């Protein structure tokens, strides 16, 4: 995970890309926020690193959860699918997660149902 540690920051922003299958490259313009916040740019398995396992929703969420374990005062900033993951993690009452920013993320129960049905259908090695 690419990061800009700011020891004076009250919060650490963790950026989670959409997709599934997109990397954090689209968040690059936000690097200027490093003066105010600690910044962490998450790259899910298979985007900039080899796949560790089959990239199921559960495996991707577990990888994200593991990646933020040692970061204090986290605000998860997820775009699209990344926002869904951010909401899911925040609902698990993980003590270091202090907030969520979901950008262009479908959050209705109907949207989650459709995403769940289509997730594995659209996923492939590419």
């Amino acid at each position: 995970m690419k990061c800009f540690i700011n020891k004076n920051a009250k919060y650490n922003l963790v950026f989670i890309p959409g997709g599934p299958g997109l990397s954090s490259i689209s968040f690059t313009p936000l690097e200027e926020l490093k003066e105010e916040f600690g910044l962490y740019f998450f790259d899910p398995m298979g985007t900039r690193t080899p796949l560790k396992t089959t990239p199921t929703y559960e495996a991707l969420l577990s990888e994200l959860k593991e990646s933020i374990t040692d970061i204090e005062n986290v605000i998860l900033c997820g775009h699209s699918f990344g926002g869904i993951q951010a909401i899911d993690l925040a609902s698990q009452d993980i003590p270091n997660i202090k907030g969520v920013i979901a950008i262009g993320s479908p959050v209705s129960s109907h949207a989650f149902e459709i995403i769940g049905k289509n997730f594995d259908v659209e996923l492939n090695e590419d």
Side-chain angles (χ1 to χ4, degrees):
M1 180 164 23
K2 181 178 180 181
C3 61
F4 296 91
I5 297 171
N6 180 337
K7 294 183 181 187
N8 297 318
K10 183 175 180 180
Y11 294 105
N12 292 297
L13 307 179
V14 176
F15 294 96
I16 311 160
L22 299 178
S23 74
S24 67
I25 194 167
S26 61
F27 292 120
T28 301
L30 300 175
E31 289 178 7
E32 66 187 52
L33 296 174
K34 67 185 176 189
E35 302 301 322
E36 298 292 323
F37 302 97
L39 304 179
Y40 296 80
F41 297 94
F42 178 70
D43 286 304
M45 68 174 105
T47 57
R48 292 186 171 194
T49 59
L51 289 173
K52 297 177 186 175
T53 184
T54 303
T56 64
Y57 179 79
E58 292 77 21
L60 292 168
L61 193 64
S62 177
E63 178 191 37
L64 175 59
K65 184 177 180 179
E66 183 179 308
S67 294
I68 66 166
T69 300
D70 296 327
I71 305 171
E72 295 181 10
N73 298 321
V74 169
I75 296 178
L76 298 171
C77 306
H79 171 252
S80 189
F81 180 73
I84 293 168
Q85 291 179 298
I87 293 166
D88 197 344
L89 271 188
S91 72
Q92 295 178 23
D93 294 321
I94 299 169
N96 61 325
I97 297 176
K98 304 301 180 190
V100 171
I101 298 171
I103 307 158
S105 301
V107 294
S108 71
S109 60
H110 177 70
F112 277 114
E113 181 181 329
I114 298 302
I115 289 166
K117 287 180 183 176
N118 292 328
F119 180 78
D120 288 330
V121 173
E122 298 296 326
L123 190 63
N124 62 52
E125 288 293 320
D126 294 331

